[in-house]
Amino acid sequence: MSNADKDPNKGYIALLGWSLNAIEAIDRFDRRYVVVAPDWAKQYAEDNDIPFMAWNFDRLNERSMELGQTLEEMGVDVAVPLFEETVEWAGAVNAVLLKDPKLMNQAFLFRDKGMMKRRAQLGGIRVGIFEEADDKRDVMKFLKRVNSALLKLDGDPNDPIHLKAFDKAGCLGHRVIRTPEDVDNIPDDEFPCLLESHLDGWEFGVEAFVKDRKIQFLNISEYVKLGYSVFVPASPELEKWRKRVEEEVEKLIEAFDIDFGFLHPEYFVTNDGKMYFGEVAYRPPGFNAFELIERAYGFNAYQAMVLMFDPKATKEEVEKFFPTPVKDAKGHAGTFGVYPRRRVISALEIPEETENDPYFEFHELAPPLENKVTKRNAFGTHWGLVYFFGEDPERMRELLSEQEELDFYV
């Protein structure tokens, strides 16, 4: 649908970043839009009549104001970030479009995990022990300090610590450190970074759609194994924490002064029932959680996100858009991220037990381009997703767990 056919009384949206799933969703929506993405997408956009503006998202610089002013002259109302790397740009642009300088500073909070943890702590949100590291010596000191605090004796195995990049999405740049050898293996270009104590407990993700400082819809995504598999909505055992999760997200809205948008925080529930904040993102989550939400509930989460950002969206429109969490889900939708388990491979081969399972729907795996598999760096990036859908959350959890033992590349 071209912009000329869209409702001129509703917001004009700039999508920052290139995502075909997001573009297709917004193209079907009733709002005018323009995609702001690097030059390499220009030809595809022209060939497919996608409203497009070329912009290279290098480091944020003085040209961010120029982008905001250009979009303002075009009549754009708001910018929506699609990737971690465009969150700061959206903050800078929206500071111009919405005449609200705080949005720029807020975007820095979402991009710097150290600053983010401190702000959460100041807002009375429970976080683990964390520090920033400039080099390997800082990591070694933190590992020793955490284990001394846990009263470990000489010879006891260390409790792990986590090393995370300040500004990368999801599992990228995430390492688990247990030994001095692990510290030696950290490349120098991963510094500076964030260090955290390990929390034993149930880790899960949340997708919260926020408008007028209120949660309009909240989904809990159950991680079966971090970096490998997830399903939505969560199982009844995790959903029983929903009230507490909502309270924690409300604290986050208050602490980070969030009026609108989409939040993807991660939490831990420990064995003694305490809930810890991990981190929060201000863009769609990985593992195609938006696509899973649509499969389970029937509404498009990219359109929902645009609705949250759009200053012209009405209260009635928002209320009408969302179903009732959990109750209105048609089943549980899950994805498994495949990473080759062998060092040398020659072909993509979907395991029979996966393909023949009634919950299996489809996959997005491509045949290998080369035979040698590079060693997985930390959590690394999966090679593609396999999708499942079914009614029983227990069976879904079991099935996603079983995929870890199978070879998709042989």
Side-chain angles (χ1 to χ4, degrees):
M1 195 195 292
S2 77
N3 274 346
D5 302 321
K6 305 285 182 88
D7 188 340
N9 298 312
K10 292 183 178 176
Y12 184 1
I13 312 298
L15 296 177
L16 303 193
W18 183 263
S19 158
L20 281 178
N21 286 2
I23 294 164
E24 284 166 12
I26 305 313
D27 195 58
R28 295 192 309 268
F29 205 30
D30 56 5
R31 282 154 169 80
R32 292 167 296 156
Y33 74 98
V34 59
V35 177
V36 183
D39 293 317
W40 49 256
K42 187 176 183 181
Q43 194 58 55
Y44 184 96
E46 283 174 2
D47 293 347
N48 292 276
D49 297 323
I50 294 167
F52 184 81
M53 178 183 162
W55 192 268
N56 291 313
F57 298 105
D58 301 318
R59 299 301 300 168
L60 199 64
N61 53 34
E62 64 282 352
R63 292 198 66 209
S64 58
M65 296 303 277
E66 184 192 319
L67 176 59
Q69 283 152 2
T70 306
L71 291 171
E72 188 174 36
E73 283 159 19
M74 288 166 62
V76 168
D77 292 296
V78 73
V80 177
L82 295 180
F83 296 99
E84 189 67 24
E85 295 73 17
T86 61
V87 167
E88 273 166 302
W89 286 95
V93 168
N94 286 333
V96 174
L97 297 179
L98 300 169
K99 309 284 182 278
D100 186 352
K102 92 170 180 203
L103 296 172
M104 180 73 235
N105 293 334
Q106 197 183 64
F108 287 133
L109 274 180
F110 290 123
R111 290 286 283 135
D112 184 316
K113 286 179 184 164
M115 207 190 293
M116 179 193 292
K117 292 250 181 193
R118 280 196 291 280
R119 180 65 178 254
Q121 206 170 31
L122 287 168
I125 294 165
R126 190 190 292 271
V127 298
I129 301 166
F130 66 96
E131 270 181 31
E132 287 152 46
D134 289 317
D135 53 37
K136 291 178 186 178
R137 279 172 309 178
D138 287 347
V139 182
M140 205 59 229
K141 274 191 239 166
F142 187 72
L143 182 66
K144 283 180 177 166
R145 272 204 300 270
V146 166
N147 281 281
S148 308
L150 293 167
L151 307 178
K152 291 289 178 95
L153 302 171
D154 280 348
D156 284 351
N158 278 331
D159 225 50
I161 61 168
H162 295 259
L163 180 148
K164 291 181 179 178
F166 276 135
D167 60 357
K168 286 183 183 165
C171 295
L172 292 173
H174 179 179
R175 292 170 177 271
V176 179
I177 308 288
R178 288 185 170 84
T179 64
E181 292 72 38
D182 292 338
V183 178
D184 289 339
N185 291 335
I186 304 166
D188 290 336
D189 62 6
E190 291 198 11
F191 293 99
C193 58
L194 180 75
L195 302 172
E196 296 177 331
S197 57
H198 177 72
L199 291 169
D200 266 329
W202 201 348
E203 187 174 4
F204 58 91
V206 173
E207 288 76 40
F209 296 85
V210 177
K211 188 88 176 156
D212 302 323
R213 296 185 86 89
K214 289 189 176 67
I215 300 165
Q216 306 296 333
F217 182 86
L218 185 142
N219 174 70
I220 299 174
S221 289
E222 183 159 337
Y223 297 161
V224 178
K225 185 170 182 184
L226 184 66
Y228 282 92
S229 43
V230 64
F231 68 89
V232 312
S235 61
E237 300 97 296
L238 188 49
E239 281 292 345
K240 74 177 187 198
W241 293 96
R242 174 170 283 272
K243 185 90 183 73
R244 283 275 302 282
V245 172
E246 285 172 357
E247 286 166 6
E248 289 301 314
V249 174
E250 281 161 5
K251 279 189 205 170
L252 210 53
I253 290 168
E254 205 52 49
F256 284 60
D257 198 14
I258 298 160
D259 294 317
F260 63 87
F262 168 79
L263 295 177
H264 169 52
E266 292 180 319
Y267 293 99
F268 288 87
V269 174
T270 54
N271 300 332
D272 57 357
K274 292 191 176 78
M275 197 174 292
Y276 286 83
F277 167 73
E279 58 191 62
V280 62
Y282 199 64
R283 42 82 192 153
F287 278 76
N288 283 15
F290 271 16
E291 287 73 8
L292 296 184
I293 289 171
E294 183 167 15
R295 181 69 184 92
Y297 285 102
F299 75 86
N300 186 281
Y302 292 108
Q303 294 176 356
M305 185 178 178
V306 161
L307 201 57
M308 297 301 96
F309 274 83
D310 181 3
K312 293 179 177 172
T314 65
K315 200 174 170 188
E316 296 70 36
E317 194 179 10
V318 171
E319 279 172 10
K320 205 169 136 190
F321 192 91
F322 291 109
T324 305
V326 187
K327 184 169 161 275
D328 287 347
K330 301 186 290 282
H332 296 269
T335 49
F336 176 77
V338 172
Y339 193 88
R341 302 193 323 143
R342 305 179 185 195
R343 290 307 298 275
V344 178
I345 56 172
S346 59
L348 166 66
E349 209 173 88
I350 306 300
E352 273 185 37
E353 50 266 71
T354 301
E355 213 160 17
N356 296 334
D357 194 284
Y359 280 24
F360 171 73
E361 292 210 304
F362 63 98
H363 70 82
E364 292 174 342
L365 301 172
L369 296 174
E370 49 188 301
N371 292 346
K372 195 169 179 202
V373 178
T374 53
K375 192 170 183 297
R376 195 168 192 184
N377 176 14
F379 278 84
T381 306
H382 59 74
W383 282 33
L385 296 169
V386 184
Y387 293 79
F388 301 91
F389 184 80
E391 285 186 18
D392 183 357
E394 292 301 321
R395 175 63 195 133
M396 180 63 79
R397 192 191 291 138
E398 197 178 88
L399 181 61
L400 290 170
S401 198
E402 285 165 4
Q403 305 310 304
E404 293 169 34
E405 304 304 318
L406 301 175
D407 284 310
F408 289 77
Y409 288 95
V410 295

